[in-house]
Amino acid sequence: MKHEILQSTHNDLSSSQATREKGLDRIKAWAILFVIFWHYQPLHLINLGQTQLSTLICEVFFAGIRQVCLIAVPLFFLVSLIIFFKHAPNRPHYLRKRLTRLLILYGFWISVQTIFASVVSPEPLVIDWHFIASGGPPIPLVGGSVFYFLFDLIILTLAAGLFLQCSERGRIVIGVIVVATSLFTFSIVPYFPAYAPSTTSPANFFVFIPLAYFLAQNPGFVLTYRRLLAVLFAFTCLFDMINILWELGIYYNYCRPSTVIGALYFMTFLAIELPPKGERIFSLIARFSLGLFAVHKLAVYPFRALFIQLNPILIPIPMTGVRLAASFIIVALAGFLLSILLLWLMNITPLRRFIR
């Protein structure tokens, strides 16, 4: 009887663990889709009417996409740190192994970024601290490197390891201070830009260390308070939209309260059950989320370089004075398909270790 109870408890824990892992896969899949959507901008509106209505439509549409898509990188940090806090306490060498893997990934992809930029850009390379912290040089037509994420994740993982060395009471005190200080700072930087960290700075993301630790210890929190999180997210988004439309302050990508609340709210996607086919697709996307994150900007470059030479294809939206740039949809689709092809080729070679 006792053995049956223990076996039943073990099965329940295993089932719960499997459910949480599937949930984290859903979050990673949504996050990488948000990243790609933001960088590819497939639904690109052009304001030809230049009326109050057409201007308002374009500004609200772009601001809404920005509010949602820019939660993706904080979500990646949050998921990565939750996984770290779930495994590190029970595995003595987990921190060292994780940092080693992150350093290898960072070294490989910053080398790829540098070689690619050297081929397509006439700009001379300047290797300094900014080059290292931002993940390599920018690429024409597609913007800055995404590999600042790996640099910041190394810093955050080190900080998370130190956080675990504190006593439980120390973690609570430090966590409250970090969260409160971050939310206060994020609230005032639109009006005091001198205090704003750069977009790629890890200072934008330290707040997710104590939050990830709390969620790893209390996985049901976001589901219990999902309605409150939804209200807070809507309120902070409205605050951001007012800032944007009335130009009351500077809009920053990550150092905003809405980014923190939004990341917590989107964690409620853990509870969204998908049909078996949908689960398989999201699991596949999540498995290759690192690879998609790494190659999607490189893959879209040749198509942007091609289409910039052509006349844009514009689809009118009736009675608005706004046009949808269909060429952006074509470029985005082509870039995504090339990304998948590159990942397939890498996955059948030893390079698979850099995309999974």
Side-chain angles (χ1 to χ4, degrees):
M1 182 66 179
K2 183 178 179 181
H3 174 74
E4 290 176 357
I5 292 174
L6 290 173
Q7 184 63 39
S8 174
T9 303
H10 173 74
N11 291 340
D12 290 344
L13 289 173
S14 298
S15 176
S16 176
Q17 179 69 18
T19 300
R20 287 199 296 271
E21 293 298 337
K22 282 185 179 180
L24 291 176
D25 275 354
R26 292 186 206 115
I27 299 299
K28 288 166 64 178
W30 279 114
I32 190 57
L33 292 176
F34 287 158
V35 167
I36 294 173
F37 192 93
W38 173 248
H39 288 152
Y40 283 7
Q41 296 285 324
L43 301 180
H44 187 80
L45 300 184
I46 296 179
N47 182 10
L48 291 182
Q50 294 297 324
T51 64
Q52 287 186 337
L53 175 62
S54 62
T55 301
L56 181 65
I57 289 172
C58 290
E59 287 185 353
V60 170
F61 181 77
F62 182 71
I65 289 177
R66 181 161 53 179
Q67 284 294 116
V68 174
C69 290
L70 289 179
I71 292 172
V73 169
L75 270 176
F76 273 126
F77 283 124
L78 194 55
V79 169
S80 297
L81 290 167
I82 288 173
I83 292 172
F84 173 81
F85 284 126
K86 285 169 61 177
H87 295 299
N90 303 317
R91 300 183 185 180
H93 303 294
Y94 185 76
L95 175 61
R96 178 176 58 79
K97 290 180 179 178
R98 190 170 180 82
L99 285 174
T100 300
R101 170 158 170 76
L102 287 173
L103 286 167
I104 291 171
L105 289 173
Y106 173 79
F108 175 80
W109 283 114
I110 196 175
S111 299
V112 172
Q113 177 85 6
T114 302
I115 293 169
F116 191 91
S118 299
V119 172
V120 302
S121 174
E123 295 294 326
L125 284 176
V126 178
I127 300 178
D128 53 13
W129 176 251
H130 176 74
F131 173 94
I132 295 169
S134 60
I139 295 174
L141 304 180
V142 297
S145 170
V146 297
F147 301 117
Y148 73 88
F149 171 81
L150 291 174
F151 178 86
D152 287 356
L153 188 55
I154 292 169
I155 302 298
L156 293 181
T157 302
L158 276 169
L162 293 174
F163 184 77
L164 280 180
Q165 299 302 310
C166 301
S167 65
E168 186 62 30
R169 184 173 181 177
R171 294 170 199 164
I172 294 173
V173 172
I174 292 171
V176 170
I177 292 174
V178 169
V179 172
T181 303
S182 296
L183 290 177
F184 175 74
T185 304
F186 292 176
S187 299
I188 66 170
V189 291
Y191 317 107
F192 301 96
Y195 296 98
S198 68
T199 299
T200 61
S201 171
N204 294 297
F205 310 113
F206 283 124
V207 65
F208 294 106
I209 294 175
L211 291 177
Y213 177 77
F214 178 79
L215 292 181
Q217 302 294 316
N218 304 274
F221 174 83
V222 291
L223 301 180
T224 302
Y225 294 99
R226 60 182 178 271
R227 291 181 181 176
L228 175 61
L229 290 171
V231 171
L232 290 174
F233 182 48
F235 176 79
T236 51
C237 282
L238 179 62
F239 181 78
D240 287 343
M241 295 285 277
I242 291 172
N243 270 347
I244 294 169
L245 297 179
W246 275 270
E247 299 181 349
L248 300 178
I250 298 175
Y251 184 94
Y252 293 98
N253 283 356
Y254 299 126
C255 56
R256 293 176 287 113
S258 61
T259 302
V260 179
I261 304 299
L264 292 176
Y265 173 66
F266 273 88
M267 289 298 291
T268 62
F269 282 29
L270 287 165
I272 299 177
E273 293 288 343
L274 298 173
K277 187 174 182 180
E279 288 286 5
R280 288 194 295 271
I281 293 173
F282 268 61
S283 178
L284 185 65
I285 294 173
R287 189 187 314 163
F288 291 99
S289 58
L290 171 62
L292 284 169
F293 189 85
V295 306
H296 75 280
K297 273 195 170 185
L298 308 180
V300 82
Y301 171 81
F303 303 106
R304 284 199 176 167
L306 172 64
F307 271 83
I308 202 172
Q309 309 295 330
L310 306 176
N311 292 325
I313 304 170
L314 302 180
I315 301 174
I317 300 175
M319 298 182 293
T320 63
V322 176
R323 301 292 187 271
L324 176 65
S327 47
F328 276 69
I329 300 175
I330 297 170
V331 168
L333 181 59
F336 187 69
L337 292 176
L338 181 55
S339 297
I340 293 174
L341 176 61
L342 291 173
L343 293 184
W344 179 78
L345 292 172
M346 293 182 73
N347 195 48
I348 59 176
T349 73
L351 293 176
R352 70 174 67 90
R353 64 183 298 201
F354 299 110
I355 60 173
R356 299 170 63 171

